[in-house]
């Protein structure tokens, strides 16, 4: 099973994270918005659909920044998670699938109880090895030249 997740960074460097609902699998764990890729759907199309469904926002652009394979004890199948640096059109969110959402500085991510599969990415974001907004910006500049 393949899942996409958006790492959305605001101008103030804060990243958007969501807390899973109490009655969800892995209740109250934090994650980046996203979800499963449907059959015949591209990762980018899945990301756009998931962001619209979960947050009511429009994906403007995205670039893959990492992949993780993870198997949770409660599921038989290995999960492939594709993380994307993502830019959205709206500044206002309408979260519909999360207990709550937060904008956290990269160095604060360690203070949240994230899903295990997110740990490596969290470490890279917290140490500044991955900077989503810069990745999107440099890709845009490369495309313009």
């Amino acid at each position: 099973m393949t899942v996409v997740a958006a790492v959305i960074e605001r101008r103030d460097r804060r990243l958007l994270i969501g807390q899973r609902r109490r009655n969800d699998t892995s209740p109250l764990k934090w994650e980046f918005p996203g979800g499963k890729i449907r059959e015949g759907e591209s990762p980018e199309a899945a990301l756009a659909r998931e962001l619209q469904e979960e947050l009511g926002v429009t994906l403007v652009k995205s670039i893959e920044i990492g992949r993780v394979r993870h198997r949770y004890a409660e599921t038989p199948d290995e999960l492939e998670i594709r993380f994307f640096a993502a830019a959205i059109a709206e500044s206002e969110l309408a979260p519909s699938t999360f207990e709550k959402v937060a904008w956290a500085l990269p160095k604060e991510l360690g203070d949240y109880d994230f899903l295990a599969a997110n740990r490596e990415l969290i470490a890279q974001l917290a140490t500044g090895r991955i900077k989503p907004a810069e990745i999107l910006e440099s890709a845009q500049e490369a495309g313009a030249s």
Side-chain angles (χ1 to χ4, degrees):
M1 183 190 333
T2 305
V3 172
V4 290
V7 182
I8 301 166
E9 183 179 350
R10 284 194 316 206
R11 290 194 189 280
D12 63 4
R13 296 215 46 238
R14 290 180 181 272
L15 304 169
L16 180 65
I17 57 176
Q19 188 179 38
R20 296 172 75 99
R21 290 194 170 146
R22 293 173 196 287
N23 56 358
D24 209 339
T25 54
S26 303
L28 302 180
K29 292 273 191 189
W30 290 85
E31 65 182 352
F32 294 99
K36 295 179 188 82
I37 298 177
R38 294 178 180 160
E39 196 166 329
E41 194 174 41
S42 72
E44 292 78 8
L47 194 65
R49 176 183 50 75
E50 288 286 348
L51 290 175
Q52 185 62 53
E53 289 173 7
E54 292 186 353
L55 300 167
V57 297
T58 305
L59 179 67
V60 176
K61 65 180 172 179
S62 62
I63 296 174
E64 188 170 329
I65 56 173
R67 289 184 189 191
V68 171
R69 289 188 173 278
H70 191 84
R71 178 177 281 120
Y72 287 100
E74 64 274 9
T75 58
D77 298 326
E78 186 177 64
L79 204 57
E80 180 183 60
I81 305 167
R82 295 184 183 189
F83 294 101
F84 287 83
I88 55 174
E90 295 82 358
S91 56
E92 291 298 310
L93 305 175
S96 60
T97 58
F98 292 110
E99 189 78 19
K100 58 184 161 190
V101 295
W103 289 96
L105 286 168
K107 65 180 189 218
E108 298 169 344
L109 294 174
D111 299 339
Y112 293 86
D113 186 15
F114 268 88
L115 290 168
N118 289 217
R119 281 197 194 114
E120 189 179 318
L121 178 68
I122 298 291
Q124 292 185 336
L125 290 165
T127 57
R129 282 200 299 272
I130 293 179
K131 297 178 178 170
E134 283 183 20
I135 291 167
L136 288 170
E137 211 171 280
S138 62
Q140 188 171 355
E141 288 166 7
S145 56

